Each structure stands twice: as C-alpha cells, then as structure tokens.
Amino acid sequence: MAKGIVYLVGAGPGDPGLITVKGLQCIRQADVVVYDRLASPRLLAHARPEAELIYVGKSPDRHAMVQDEINQLLVDKAKEGKVVTRLKGGDPFVFGRGGEEAELLVENGLPFEVVPGITSAISVPAYAGIPVTHRGYTSTFAIVTGNEDPTKDDSSIAWDKIATGAGTLLFLMGMGNLPGICARLIEYGRSPQTPVALIRWGTRPEQRTLTGTLDDICQKATAAGFKNPAVIVVGEVVNLRDKLAWFENRPLFGKRIIVTRSREQASVLSSAIEALGGEPWEFPTISIVPPEDFTALDSAINDVRSYRWLIFTSVNGVKMFFDRMRKNRKDIRDLSDVRLCAIGPRTREELEQRGLLVDYVPGEYRAEEIVEGLKGKVLPGDRVLLPRADIARKMLPQALEEMGAIVQDVVAYHTVLGDGDATAIREALADGTINVVTFTSSSTVRNFVKLVGEGTAPELLAKTSVASIGPITSTTARELGLRVDIEAKEYTIDGLVQAIMDHFGREV
C-alpha cells in the first residue's frame, strides 16, 4: 500500500478567515482531518463529504486524546495510505507540539509537511487593538508558555532575564498560572504598574478583553471570571488599546448569524455580516438546480422576440435564463424590443452586468406592489414571460392576466432541500451560541424547519433572534410556529442587514 502523507496545518487563532491559502487546500484534499478545539468548526465545512473527521480536542483540564495517542493516530492513518491534515490552533510549531508529531512521523518513515499558521501571540493582541511592537514603545517581544508553573524550582524559563529583557511579553494559555506569572515578573524587576491585557477567545465573536496592571490584574480576572483560552499581554503597548481597538467596536461584533440561503447566494449576505464584524455561519437550507425538462423554457427563449415584457424575480432566474439562451445559440440582440422588469436591486445588477438596461424596478418587492407599479405599463394583449422558480407564488401571473396580459410562467430552476450540516446547527442553537437566524424566503424557512426537525425548531430558536427579509417570509415562519423578532423594512439583503443592526441598536 502506498504511504500517505501528513500535513501539520496551523489553523490560526479562531477567525476562519485567518487560515492560509495552503492550509485551506490541505483541508480540501484530506482523507482524514484531525482537529483540536481551537480550530474553527467552520473550517471543517471545507473538507470533502467523504473525509473522516476526528476530534482530538485538548483543554487544560480535559483531553479527548493525550498527545501520545494523537501522535500515533497520525502515524496509523498515514500508514493506511491516507492524506491526513492535522488541524491545530494557531501555529503548529509555536507551543502546538507539532514538533513532537513530526518526530514520530520521521521515526516511522512517513512524509509530512508543515503549513505554518498565524499564531495567537501576535494576532489576538492585534484584534484587541494592541500591537506587540511599536516604535514609540518597544522594538522587542517574547512569547512564553503560560502552562509552566512559575513557582517550581526547576523552571525552564529564565525569569530573571525575561522579566525585563523584552518590551512586550506574551504568555499563551496562562490563566491558571496568572498570579505566579505576575509575582515572578514583579520579583525580577518589572514594575507593578506595568500595563497588562487579558484577551479571551481572541479573533472570535466571544472575544473579551480585560486590562489592568501587574499589581491588580489578578483581582480583576477573578472578579470577571476570566479563564483560558486567553493570551496575556504585558507591556506599555497595552496602553494603545484605547486608541486602536477596532474589532470589538464594529456594529455586529459578537454576533454569530446563520445564513440559510443557497450556497450560490450565501456569499452576499455573509460578506455583509463579516464586513460589520459579525460571524456568518452558512447553513444552506435550499439548493438551486436546473429543471428536469427544459422544453418549456427553451421554447420561450426561441420565441423571445414575441414577448413585450420579460420579468425576472431573482438573480437565479437571470442566470438560468441566460445560460439557456447561450445553449440555444441566442444572444441579447434578440431582446432589443423586449422590455425588462427586475425585482430588486441585485436582480437589476445581474442584468446590467450583461449590458442590459432595466425598464422597471418596483419600489417594493412583493408581488402586490409589483403589479401595482406595472399598471399602465403592461397593456392588454402584451405577452409577458416569467422565468422563475417552480415554487414561486401564483399571485403575480394571475394579477397580470387580470390586467389583460398573456402570461407565460415557465420554470427556470428548481428549489430543493439544501445540504447544510443540521447536526452542527442544532448543537450550536442548543448551546446558545447563535445570536440570529436569517430567512430570505419562505422556502428557506420551510426547509430550515425540515432540516433541524419540525417538532424541535421553535424550541431550538427560543434563545435566538429570528430575522426575516419581509412580511411574506415572516408569515411562513409564524405558520410554522416560529417567533419573528426582526423584519426588514426594505425587502433586500441590505434591508435585512440594516434591520439586524437596528434590532441590536448598532450603527455603522
């Protein structure tokens, strides 16, 4: 059997956006992903569906596997000819014990590669607004383990040199030894008034920062219940936090928000959430697939010159329609005499990117308002083509027919149940770590309930805010027993994001 290979990958400090490009490639190609508790679970979504995921999480007081067992697991899986990605928080060679794992692989004649990660020692302070070096404060820093008991006689840390030998001191995973660390630093010459910052769950929505001095930080930490995982920063650079704090000041900081749109559409909402400091969790409850039979759509496309109006109700409809036009050897010159209506700004943008000018965009995006706006524009006898989803409401074509139009309502795509990880979402909701679930259509609501469980959905969402893109979606949610806390005034993605910020009393 061919030998496998092990990639020792640094996952970064917690924010999944801080994974390296090569690290992400290793996750995507792995047969086995061995991961610990400090690696973001969102990174696992990039693994192949058939990949084996093995949790070996370690915390100071509890181990799913001890280190020797992890080392042997990597060897065993590689000997099976597997591509193994060992996903470790931070950097594998900065207190990550990656060196020990690599040594055993060498002893067994197994190939490996090290993919460095962004260590929490520099990234976590940066997310708290603290540069580890600064020309006006210090040009040196030292990274020290916080796990070693400072009071033991045979300490491998030269406290007499470390205490004053570097401008900034960074202790990793040292909350349990904080009193001893502070005492030793003061004992060996560091001023009791030296600024200190404790940063817990840095770069994540749960990030909390506590500041003080060597003299009082222990009392403050006890009062605040501060625990690991945390980075301890000692040095004058801590004083820059008041001026440079940025991550915790963003409008949606600390908010973990579920995006239920299809994978093809999720990025727009996810990007908006991330830009405002929130953490999007993509849970695609719907999937967009082509119709089983293109006969009706192809027939309409081949006869497209005969239509007076072409009405697109979604970006998906635009993409599918023009994909079929291309396959039918048609181009946009066939639309020269056809008037275009786009429901919503994103749909309009999708058309404009194809060099088409839109004749009408309604001010509101419900069928009732669309019909009202088309009165006087769509005339009796006008042929109207509606390429859209198979489950779209019938109100729009019926109202157009009542205006005297001849409506061709054709299926351009199917909306089916998505493939989101329902188990992970149920666990996160039950743990209370999700702040908001967003719904952008009635189908996202119905499929969400199907995926998480029709009998349990209302209970799971009891501690989580529900955000709806508009009244039709809200009505569907309530019919299924869900409480709606947030409803967009403008029925768009931008309107939904604004409504979420309004709900939490935040401003950009």
Side-chain angles (χ1 to χ4, degrees):
M1 179 181 291
K3 289 182 181 178
I5 184 170
V6 177
Y7 295 97
L8 304 175
V9 178
D15 181 344
L18 297 181
I19 186 79
T20 63
V21 173
K22 186 168 184 179
L24 202 57
Q25 290 173 345
C26 292
I27 296 171
R28 288 171 173 161
Q29 71 184 36
D31 299 310
V32 182
V33 179
V34 179
Y35 66 101
D36 64 29
R37 76 180 185 122
L38 297 183
S40 170
R42 289 174 61 201
L43 293 175
L44 300 178
H46 294 280
R48 294 183 296 123
E50 63 272 22
E52 183 181 7
L53 307 179
I54 303 176
Y55 175 66
V56 295
K58 297 191 297 178
S59 61
D61 58 347
R62 185 175 64 256
H63 301 299
M65 279 191 187
V66 298
Q67 187 62 49
D68 286 345
E69 292 174 328
I70 296 172
N71 298 348
Q72 190 60 49
L73 174 66
L74 299 180
V75 169
D76 292 343
K77 291 297 180 180
K79 283 185 175 180
E80 292 174 10
K82 303 287 182 64
V83 174
V84 183
T85 291
R86 170 68 171 112
L87 198 59
K88 306 169 72 69
D91 179 272
F93 279 8
V94 179
F95 304 133
R97 304 189 73 172
E100 297 169 47
E101 294 169 351
E103 282 185 298
L104 191 61
L105 292 168
V106 171
E107 290 169 12
N108 283 269
L110 295 166
F112 71 94
E113 290 186 21
V114 179
V115 181
I118 299 175
T119 175
S120 60
I122 59 173
S123 56
V124 168
Y127 269 56
I130 302 170
V132 296
T133 64
H134 186 284
R135 175 174 278 184
Y137 291 84
T138 181
S139 57
T140 61
F141 70 93
I143 304 172
V144 187
T145 179
N147 275 328
E148 186 184 77
D149 183 356
T151 63
K152 68 180 185 179
D153 295 331
D154 58 343
S155 173
S156 62
I157 300 171
W159 290 98
D160 57 331
K161 297 179 175 63
I162 282 290
T164 58
T168 303
L169 300 177
L170 303 148
F171 294 87
L172 306 189
M173 302 299 289
M175 288 304 302
N177 291 323
L178 182 62
I181 290 171
C182 292
R184 279 295 179 102
L185 293 177
I186 293 172
E187 177 186 353
Y188 286 103
R190 201 80 175 211
S191 167
Q193 299 308 308
T194 303
V196 179
L198 311 178
I199 311 158
R200 187 167 194 259
W201 287 120
T203 80
R204 296 164 52 120
E206 298 93 341
Q207 177 173 308
R208 290 179 61 205
T209 305
L210 181 68
T211 58
T213 64
L214 283 175
D215 196 41
D216 65 15
I217 194 64
C218 293
Q219 294 90 334
K220 288 185 175 182
T222 300
F226 234 76
K227 300 177 181 178
N228 277 320
V231 173
I232 302 169
V233 187
V234 179
E236 298 301 322
V237 289
V238 171
N239 289 329
L240 287 164
R241 170 173 161 76
D242 289 342
K243 181 188 293 186
L244 302 183
W246 61 275
F247 182 59
E248 295 162 56
N249 293 337
R250 296 196 293 175
L252 291 181
F253 167 73
K255 306 304 178 188
R256 185 172 282 122
I257 301 172
I258 291 180
V259 177
T260 56
R261 305 184 91 197
S262 67
R263 292 191 191 281
E264 298 85 355
Q265 293 179 299
S267 61
V268 174
L269 179 53
S270 295
S271 296
I273 292 168
E274 282 188 313
L276 294 167
E279 182 183 54
W281 276 34
E282 294 186 0
F283 176 50
T285 61
I286 61 174
S287 183
I288 306 302
V289 299
E292 295 176 3
D293 185 354
F294 283 104
T295 302
L297 180 58
D298 288 348
S299 177
I301 287 172
N302 287 321
D303 196 29
V304 74
R305 290 178 180 270
S306 70
Y307 292 96
R308 175 63 174 164
W309 280 92
L310 181 50
I311 300 178
F312 290 103
T313 59
S314 71
V315 169
N316 290 322
V318 175
K319 290 179 177 178
M320 290 293 188
F321 182 85
F322 284 96
D323 182 62
R324 291 308 296 179
M325 277 196 76
R326 186 168 54 255
K327 286 182 169 58
N328 281 276
R329 306 300 297 169
K330 298 285 185 178
D331 65 31
I332 61 174
R333 286 172 292 187
D334 289 322
L335 303 177
S336 58
D337 294 324
V338 182
R339 303 191 71 187
L340 299 177
C341 171
I343 311 306
R346 301 288 182 191
T347 307
R348 180 190 62 203
E349 289 172 12
E350 193 69 28
L351 288 165
E352 289 178 346
Q353 287 175 4
R354 288 172 166 79
L356 296 165
L357 295 179
V358 177
D359 297 279
Y360 176 63
V361 180
E364 292 191 43
Y365 312 123
R366 287 192 298 169
E368 293 81 355
E369 282 76 17
I370 297 164
V371 171
E372 189 65 30
L374 287 172
K375 286 180 179 178
K377 296 181 176 66
V378 175
L379 305 176
D382 282 352
R383 297 193 72 205
V384 179
L385 179 58
L386 269 173
R388 56 189 194 144
D390 57 320
I391 60 172
R393 296 170 67 209
K394 298 302 180 184
M395 188 272 176
L396 180 55
Q398 289 171 354
L400 290 168
E401 288 174 348
E402 290 173 4
M403 293 164 56
I406 302 167
V407 181
Q408 188 75 22
D409 188 9
V410 297
V411 175
Y413 59 94
H414 285 300
T415 300
V416 299
L417 193 67
D419 59 354
D421 186 349
T423 300
I425 294 300
R426 279 194 294 266
E427 290 175 355
L429 288 169
D431 291 343
T433 58
I434 302 296
N435 302 102
V436 183
V437 175
T438 61
F439 295 118
T440 55
S441 67
S442 291
S443 57
T444 60
V445 181
R446 286 190 288 265
N447 288 0
F448 177 88
V449 171
K450 287 179 184 177
L451 288 166
V452 303
E454 295 184 13
T456 59
E459 182 181 350
L460 282 172
L461 292 172
K463 299 178 182 178
T464 301
S465 297
V466 173
S468 161
I469 201 167
I472 301 298
T473 303
S474 297
T475 297
T476 302
R478 293 188 181 104
E479 288 173 350
L480 293 170
L482 306 185
R483 181 195 70 256
V484 177
D485 307 283
I486 305 166
E487 184 178 283
K489 295 176 182 177
E490 178 185 301
Y491 315 141
T492 64
I493 296 301
D494 290 340
L496 179 60
V497 172
Q498 183 61 56
I500 293 171
M501 287 197 295
D502 292 343
H503 177 76
F504 291 111
R506 309 287 180 88
E507 295 181 359
V508 178

